[in-house]
Amino acid sequence: MNVTFTGPQCSGKTTLLKQMKQTRDIMDQFFYIDEVTRLIKREFNVPINEEGANDTTQLLIINKELENLFKYNYELWPGCRGVVHDRCLLDGLVYTEYFFEKKLVSQQVWAQALNYWMKYHTKYDVIFYPDPHEIKLKDDGERSTDTEFRNAIIQKYENYYLNHFQWKDRIHILRGTVEERVEHIKIVLNEHHTG
C-alpha cells in the first residue's frame, strides 16, 4: 500500500508522520519516507518555497517524489503493509503549476510535473490532506512564512485537485486535533487493509 500526505507547508504533515511512527498497532507496520523538499535543499544546496521557483529546484523535487514512489518495494519486506510518503507527485504538480503561472518555471517543467501525476497517481492508494486552515503558519527557518503564497497554494489544492473525480475517492481530509487526525488515519488504513 502506498500512503502519502499532500498539502501546503505548515499543514501538520511532519507532525502526523512523527505521531504515526510512535504509534503502535497498524502504524508500526509501515516504512516511512520523512522528507522530500528539505532533503533536496540539503543535498543540492538549492532554495525551496518561493525562492526555489526555478526549473532546477522543481525538477529535483518532482524527480525525488517519483523516485520515492518506485524505490521502495515494501512487498519484499515481511510484515510490512506499505510505505508512507511525506509528500507526493501531487505536491510537485501544485507548486510547479503555481510557479509556472507566475512565469517562474518553464512550460516544459510544468508539463513534466503534470505528466508524472497523470501517469502515476493511481500508484497512491491513500492520500491524506491535513486541513491547513486549522494550523497557524510558523517560522521554523526553512518553510515559507509568506501568508499570501501559502493561501494561493491552498486555493490551488482545494479548488481543483482535491475535488477531481479521478482521485477523489482516495483523498481523505484530516481535521481536528493531532490525536483526532491520527485516529482518522488509523481508521482509513485499517479499512483499506481489510477492504
Side-chain angles (χ1 to χ4, degrees):
M1 181 180 348
N2 270 306
V3 178
T4 189
F5 286 91
T6 194
Q9 70 275 25
C10 203
S11 59
K13 295 181 298 292
T14 303
T15 300
L16 291 170
L17 234 75
K18 286 179 183 171
Q19 285 293 117
M20 287 175 72
K21 287 166 78 173
Q22 295 170 0
T23 304
R24 295 292 164 240
D25 65 44
I26 192 169
M27 305 291 198
D28 62 3
Q29 298 169 14
F30 285 85
F31 178 79
Y32 291 88
I33 300 173
D34 296 304
E35 297 183 312
V36 172
T37 311
R38 292 175 187 171
L39 179 65
I40 293 296
K41 178 183 180 182
R42 285 194 310 275
E43 281 188 358
F44 296 96
N45 195 28
V46 295
I48 57 174
N49 302 310
E50 311 94 307
E51 294 81 29
N54 59 65
D55 283 0
T56 301
T57 301
Q58 291 312 113
L59 279 172
L60 287 168
I61 290 170
I62 62 176
N63 283 321
K64 185 64 174 174
E65 290 164 346
L66 183 68
E67 176 190 338
N68 286 344
L69 183 59
F70 286 98
K71 182 177 181 179
Y72 301 98
N73 187 357
Y74 61 89
E75 293 167 349
L76 299 177
W77 306 329
C80 187
R81 290 192 181 181
V83 178
V84 178
H85 302 262
D86 164 72
R87 284 196 173 271
C88 68
L89 291 168
L90 179 56
D91 297 289
L93 173 57
V94 168
Y95 281 84
T96 302
E97 185 173 289
Y98 171 83
F99 294 141
F100 169 66
E101 289 170 355
K102 298 285 185 186
K103 300 186 180 354
L104 299 169
V105 300
S106 69
Q107 183 173 0
Q108 291 80 11
V109 173
W110 171 77
Q112 187 64 56
L114 179 62
N115 178 52
Y116 281 173
W117 174 248
M118 295 307 293
K119 192 170 182 180
Y120 300 116
H121 68 84
T122 57
K123 299 273 184 198
Y124 298 108
D125 301 298
V126 176
I127 302 170
F128 290 116
Y129 179 78
D131 186 345
H133 302 287
E134 299 177 350
I135 309 285
K136 290 184 180 174
L137 196 56
K138 290 189 290 189
D139 186 358
D140 67 353
E142 288 188 303
R143 73 181 73 173
S144 172
T145 57
D146 183 334
T147 305
E148 192 174 308
F149 170 63
R150 181 177 186 243
N151 289 341
I153 294 294
I154 290 170
Q155 186 175 35
K156 188 159 280 305
Y157 276 105
E158 295 180 359
N159 284 357
Y160 177 72
Y161 290 105
L162 296 187
N163 297 311
H164 198 282
F165 71 94
Q166 284 185 314
W167 48 80
K168 189 173 171 66
D169 62 325
R170 280 176 276 141
I171 292 181
H172 300 269
I173 299 174
L174 303 173
R175 294 187 174 96
T177 65
V178 171
E179 293 76 20
E180 290 169 332
R181 292 176 180 213
V182 170
E183 194 56 37
H184 186 163
I185 291 168
K186 275 199 240 182
I187 291 167
V188 169
L189 294 181
N190 276 314
E191 284 175 355
H192 195 278
H193 180 69
T194 57

